[in-house]
Amino acid sequence: CLSTAASSTPGNSLFAEMGSSPIVTGSTGGGLCGMTLRCWCWRRWRLYDHCFLTSAFAFFFLSVVVLGSVAALYASLMITFNVPTTLSALGCEPDNEGSWSIGVFYGDSPFSLRPVEDMNVWKDKSGAWPVANPVLTCASASDAGFPSNFVADPFLYAQGDILYLFFETKNSMTMQGDIGVARSTDKGASWQQLGIALDEDWHLSYPYVFDYYGDIYMMPESSAKGELHLYRALQFPLQWTLEKVIMKKPLVDSVIIAHDRKYWLFGSDHSGIGTKKNGQLGIWYSNSPLGPWKPHKRNPIYNTDKSMGARNGGRPFTYNGNIYRTGQDCGETYGRRIRIFKIEILTHNEFKEVEVPSELGVSKKGRNAWNGARYHHLDVKQLSSGGWIGVLDGDRVPSGDAARRFILGCASVVMVGVLVLLAGMLLGAVKCIIPLSWCARSMGKRSDALLAWEKSNYLSSKLRRFCSRLNRMCSFLHGRVKPTTCSGRLVLTSLIVAALALMCIGVKYIYGGSGAREPYLFNGHYSQFTLVAMTYDARLWNLKMYVKHYSRCSSVREIVVVWNKGIPPESSDFDSAVPVRIRVEEQNSLNNRFKKDSLIRTRAVLELDDDIMMTCDDIERGFRVWREHPDRIVGFYPRFISGNPLEYQGEKHARNHKGYNMILTGAAFIDSRVAFERYWSEDAKVGREVVDKYFNCEDVLLNYLYANASTSKAVEYVKPAWAIDTSKFSGVAISRNTQAHYRVRSNCLLKFSKMYGSLTNRKSEFNVRKDGWDV
């Protein structure tokens, strides 16, 4: 195919002819603006109208290829699709309402509650990890056969030492809320899903459960029905019957408390004219929870800003003779946080409450924490032991996050298109914005009636005039900004860089999930680990960046810095979301990496060099794999030890031999109790002396000790998306001379193989995991 300008020779078998009614909008005679291009291709003795090889088409095609390649590269390196492998296919789908889950807290009072991970609670002492929040998620319900997108609004009910938890679960199939129930026999460390306690034809939530004269009642939110229903348990906890419609109002998040020989109902009615959404609160009183209910003289008690905590956020509780109400602060987003109020006056005519401080706060990990974006419901209860337990729901994303991210992603992609179009105009590849052949006036042969209609049609005339004026922008820009000048090149470069950046942003928002780095479940539970880094004074700048990054990872509980040499820093010198402990060593030895530490409270330890940077998701994957195999060294850098004599080589050697038999402990998970005991055993004494002699090979020694103690597989590999050695930028790397470093390690291999046996017969293959994490 050729354009008119390119096919004007009379002897050419391919020719073009001018379209009717050409309109010239610029100085260039050819192109889509000046005339209707018609490229005639000879095929089977017929002429076809194709214009695929124009400069504009080539430019846009090249732009799509380049931008698409950059976006794909960015997605492969930066976007990790966190898909827990244990979930039901129908559960935990992305939901614009959020990804709510439920955590457990303990304390000596309702004002000193701490999360379960801080209390070092173990589900089973034989297990290799303590329990961490959240203890109840959509996965908990989905794996039990009740597909759920999220769980929220938890209420506790105790029968002796058995705890029951009632909660809203959003059904993934019907997309409405049902009331689920779970049971715990270990004070909330683990929960057994019992099923759906209540399922109606309308949305249910906020299952407030209480006793009254020997019966158990539930008053869930039924605002979608327009009424407030009270249910009585026929066979607790799964069979309920409607006892009474106690109010013909669509009350939201209602609770009942007993005070001064009367019952008081607190709830929000958002249906009235002039009511403030999430800022309204009303009170009713009665001699019985069954009613009849009379309105408080000052109703509505609140009709104010939604950030003031008017809407209830859980069960009111009594402590030291005072009544406290929890309210939702919905200012920045729905359910942003909990506020606690002390009720000072509650009579038929008066009501007064004041806000009181609470230690319950949000983790510094932000969205990487399960409740980092919002938490909006708290229920507390005093246990028979005298201590208090609380259940709190939380979410790592704000309300409407999924829709917001999709809109921002699409807007970024649209802006990329605009910038590409501008770049094409400056380069001269695009000579008009809208081809006039798209306008009705220049679309080939028409009847006289149609032409008469077009001439008389005002809208058509305006559209053609607008298109013509719009197309003049191409010539105007190309004339003002010359790509051959320095300023033109700068403008063009800026457009290209901005387009690439926006393309990556668009991909991140559309395909990057919630933006959080979530932990991975194992056997229905989350846990945490201790991160151990060994360093010295010359690498302090490296360590500060390291601590700031990894302390935000979801499952990191504490960072222990093994300080080998120089003046140690203070813990306050670090920007950390978790506690940082500096362990100063008397001797500068690599053996200190595996030194016994009684202050480490988790069995899982991540030994990670302070010069390695990788994504939190890669760290979480490694932790998930280690929990499957706590008897192994699970890490990110594989090696294959082979040859006669043995020779230490890099990962490429392992890839070439399609397997590995060693994992470097500079980035690996280990069982602190097992690994440290083995490393400091009497059998390992000679090996530790070799490490001190060469100031090297401590990780090689641990691999030999693991292999020597087991007849099965001793190491497990997890591939990181990317990893950067930051010490290479500072010149403080311990192994700067790679060849000399490898020679020393080869000597260690010879010595350790004589002491502890060979590793060569322990080859593990890549890409055997179903999740593909060991490719």
Side-chain angles (χ1 to χ4, degrees):
C1 296
L2 298 176
S3 65
T4 304
S7 57
S8 58
T9 43
N12 201 326
S13 60
L14 301 178
F15 63 95
E17 65 179 9
M18 301 291 291
S20 58
S21 305
I23 302 176
V24 180
T25 59
S27 59
T28 305
L32 289 174
C33 282
M35 63 194 70
T36 304
L37 283 179
R38 183 161 298 173
C39 303
W40 296 95
C41 297
W42 189 264
R43 185 169 153 191
R44 295 186 183 180
W45 305 96
R46 297 185 64 182
L47 295 175
Y48 290 91
D49 188 5
H50 290 300
C51 295
F52 291 152
L53 298 184
T54 62
S55 60
F57 176 82
F59 170 75
F60 284 122
F61 178 78
L62 181 63
S63 299
V64 169
V65 170
V66 172
L67 290 169
S69 300
V70 171
L73 178 63
Y74 175 84
S76 64
L77 293 177
M78 301 302 296
I79 297 177
T80 50
F81 299 92
N82 190 322
V83 183
T85 56
T86 60
L87 298 185
S88 164
L90 297 176
C92 297
E93 298 294 329
D95 197 299
N96 205 43
E97 288 191 71
S99 56
W100 294 93
S101 51
I102 297 170
V104 171
F105 294 71
Y106 301 96
D108 296 328
S109 78
F111 296 99
S112 61
L113 296 174
R114 296 170 60 193
V116 62
E117 55 264 27
D118 287 355
M119 309 304 291
N120 208 37
V121 175
W122 295 64
K123 176 188 175 184
D124 184 351
K125 285 293 183 183
S126 64
W129 52 89
V131 176
N133 280 329
V135 298
L136 209 69
T137 67
C138 58
S140 308
S142 298
D143 286 346
F146 312 102
S148 172
N149 275 7
F150 62 78
V151 293
D153 293 357
F155 281 99
L156 287 168
Y157 185 85
Q159 286 186 336
D161 292 332
I162 299 176
L163 292 174
Y164 292 90
L165 184 66
F166 292 86
F167 55 90
E168 173 195 353
T169 172
K170 185 173 182 179
N171 190 299
S172 302
M173 303 177 71
T174 64
M175 299 303 286
Q176 76 173 22
D178 301 325
I179 303 303
V181 59
R183 177 175 57 200
S184 175
T185 57
D186 53 10
K187 297 182 180 179
S190 61
W191 295 87
Q192 176 193 2
Q193 291 290 322
L194 299 181
I196 301 300
L198 198 60
D199 181 6
E200 297 282 16
D201 293 333
W202 54 87
H203 175 84
L204 296 173
S205 62
Y206 209 82
Y208 177 66
V209 181
F210 63 95
D211 290 320
Y212 180 63
Y213 280 112
D215 286 321
I216 304 174
Y217 292 89
M218 181 197 301
M219 187 176 66
E221 179 195 321
S222 304
S223 60
K225 181 68 172 175
E227 300 169 339
L228 183 59
H229 290 189
L230 187 66
Y231 297 83
R232 178 172 52 85
L234 294 177
Q235 188 172 346
F236 185 84
L238 291 174
Q239 291 186 16
W240 301 78
T241 185
L242 177 63
E243 182 73 8
K244 189 175 183 181
V245 177
I246 60 176
M247 194 171 294
K248 294 282 188 178
K249 284 181 178 290
L251 293 188
V252 175
D253 296 353
S254 302
V255 293
I256 296 175
I257 62 172
H259 172 67
D260 196 20
R261 294 177 295 178
K262 289 193 178 295
Y263 290 89
W264 305 82
L265 188 152
F266 291 70
S268 300
D269 181 5
H270 299 158
S271 63
I273 298 176
T275 56
K276 301 285 182 69
K277 181 73 171 179
N278 298 326
Q280 194 269 357
L281 178 68
I283 300 177
W284 293 261
Y285 60 91
S286 173
N287 294 323
S288 164
L290 303 178
W293 295 94
K294 298 180 180 179
H296 194 279
K297 292 291 180 64
R298 293 184 56 189
N299 273 353
I301 298 298
Y302 294 123
N303 190 26
T304 182
D305 184 81
K306 58 186 178 181
S307 66
M308 299 304 293
R311 181 172 176 172
N312 288 324
R315 184 196 312 266
F317 59 91
T318 302
Y319 181 66
N320 287 342
N322 298 312
I323 301 176
Y324 296 88
R325 184 184 71 88
T326 57
Q328 297 184 42
D329 181 344
C330 298
E332 300 173 15
T333 181
Y334 166 68
R336 174 63 187 89
R337 66 187 180 101
I338 289 291
R339 299 173 67 174
I340 299 180
F341 302 89
K342 177 183 176 182
I343 297 178
E344 295 187 336
I345 300 176
L346 178 57
T347 66
H348 300 166
N349 302 313
E350 296 293 330
F351 175 77
K352 180 183 178 182
E353 63 180 9
V354 293
E355 187 172 1
V356 296
S358 172
E359 294 182 11
L360 196 67
V362 181
S363 169
K364 295 179 181 179
K365 295 184 179 183
R367 286 195 175 189
N368 289 354
W370 68 279
N371 61 342
R374 49 185 179 158
Y375 55 102
H376 79 341
H377 182 105
L378 172 69
D379 188 25
V380 297
K381 191 171 189 64
Q382 190 169 21
L383 299 172
S384 57
S385 61
W388 288 75
I389 183 174
V391 284
L392 178 81
D393 63 5
D395 195 359
R396 64 181 74 250
V397 296
S399 178
D401 182 75
R404 182 188 68 86
R405 293 180 68 83
F406 181 77
I407 292 172
L408 289 175
C410 291
S412 298
V413 173
V414 170
M415 282 302 301
V416 169
V418 173
L419 294 179
V420 168
L421 186 64
L422 289 176
M425 292 178 186
L426 296 181
L427 291 171
V430 178
K431 296 183 173 63
C432 70
I433 299 176
I434 301 178
L436 292 183
S437 59
W438 293 359
C439 299
R441 195 89 185 249
S442 55
M443 288 181 61
K445 189 175 181 179
R446 297 169 191 77
S447 64
D448 292 340
L450 182 59
L451 287 173
W453 176 83
E454 289 177 0
K455 291 178 181 179
S456 61
N457 189 279
Y458 179 77
L459 181 60
S460 176
S461 175
K462 283 285 187 181
L463 180 62
R464 286 196 302 273
R465 189 178 297 116
F466 173 77
C467 292
S468 298
R469 290 175 178 174
L470 192 62
N471 287 343
R472 295 192 186 116
M473 284 181 58
C474 305
S475 300
F476 175 79
L477 287 175
H478 193 62
R480 287 296 184 93
V481 182
K482 300 291 185 182
T484 55
T485 64
C486 291
S487 59
R489 291 193 188 99
L490 180 61
V491 171
L492 196 59
T493 303
S494 300
L495 291 176
I496 295 172
V497 170
L500 292 173
L502 284 172
M503 194 67 186
C504 293
I505 291 173
V507 169
K508 178 181 178 181
Y509 275 123
I510 296 174
Y511 297 105
S514 66
R517 295 295 174 260
E518 305 178 33
Y520 286 83
L521 279 169
F522 179 66
N523 288 342
H525 291 275
Y526 295 99
S527 187
Q528 292 187 321
F529 61 87
T530 302
L531 193 154
V532 177
M534 187 170 61
T535 189
Y536 64 105
D537 52 358
R539 299 159 67 99
L540 183 57
W541 74 273
N542 222 60
L543 183 64
K544 289 184 177 181
M545 179 172 59
Y546 172 100
V547 168
K548 182 177 181 180
H549 171 64
Y550 288 116
S551 69
R552 269 73 179 176
C553 296
S554 300
S555 300
V556 175
R557 177 174 181 173
E558 179 189 25
I559 297 178
V560 177
V561 178
V562 180
W563 194 261
N564 265 1
K565 187 178 69 173
I567 301 175
E570 299 291 335
S571 299
S572 58
D573 293 339
F574 300 99
D575 178 6
S576 178
V578 300
V580 177
R581 176 162 58 91
I582 313 296
R583 197 178 80 199
V584 181
E585 302 293 346
E586 296 179 1
Q587 179 185 357
N588 185 12
S589 170
L590 295 182
N591 290 320
N592 293 331
R593 181 193 293 275
F594 305 118
K595 192 173 182 179
K596 297 178 184 178
D597 189 340
S598 61
L599 296 180
I600 293 178
R601 303 179 70 183
T602 63
R603 287 186 66 176
V605 165
L606 172 60
E607 294 279 355
L608 186 63
D609 288 346
D610 66 325
D611 53 13
I612 295 177
M613 299 296 290
M614 61 178 69
T615 67
C616 282
D617 189 72
D618 287 327
I619 298 296
E620 297 294 344
R621 289 185 178 190
F623 186 39
R624 168 66 162 79
V625 175
W626 179 83
R627 282 180 287 166
E628 294 178 12
H629 309 288
D631 58 330
R632 301 176 185 174
I633 300 174
V634 177
F636 304 95
Y637 290 94
R639 296 290 186 266
F640 183 65
I641 305 307
S642 62
N644 189 15
L646 291 175
E647 185 178 359
Y648 185 87
Q649 299 185 63
E651 183 176 339
K652 184 178 180 181
H653 177 72
R655 296 287 181 183
N656 291 337
H657 286 78
K658 296 181 173 56
Y660 60 95
N661 52 18
M662 180 184 291
I663 292 292
L664 299 190
T665 58
F669 285 92
I670 56 176
D671 185 332
S672 60
R673 301 179 186 178
V674 173
F676 297 168
E677 286 286 345
R678 288 177 183 172
Y679 197 86
W680 288 93
S681 66
E682 189 63 28
D683 293 339
K685 182 178 180 181
V686 180
R688 295 196 302 273
E689 291 173 353
V690 173
V691 171
D692 280 335
K693 177 182 177 181
Y694 292 116
F695 202 75
N696 205 326
C697 305
E698 81 286 357
D699 51 351
V700 179
L701 174 58
L702 188 65
N703 275 266
Y704 272 93
L705 294 174
Y706 260 77
N708 188 47
S710 173
T711 57
S712 60
K713 187 175 180 180
V715 293
E716 189 82 20
Y717 167 63
V718 178
K719 182 182 179 180
W722 53 264
I724 300 174
D725 184 352
T726 57
S727 68
K728 296 295 190 293
F729 304 111
S730 63
V732 295
I734 295 175
S735 56
R736 291 188 294 273
N737 189 331
T738 302
Q739 292 183 351
H741 177 63
Y742 278 22
R743 281 196 299 269
V744 172
R745 286 181 164 252
S746 296
N747 290 334
C748 292
L749 292 176
L750 296 175
K751 294 180 181 296
F752 292 154
S753 60
K754 293 178 181 178
M755 298 175 189
Y756 308 109
S758 176
L759 292 178
T760 55
N761 59 345
R762 288 178 168 271
K763 180 179 177 181
S764 299
E765 295 182 352
F766 295 103
N767 198 18
V768 294
R769 290 184 59 87
K770 292 182 179 179
D771 51 33
W773 292 351
D774 62 342
V775 177

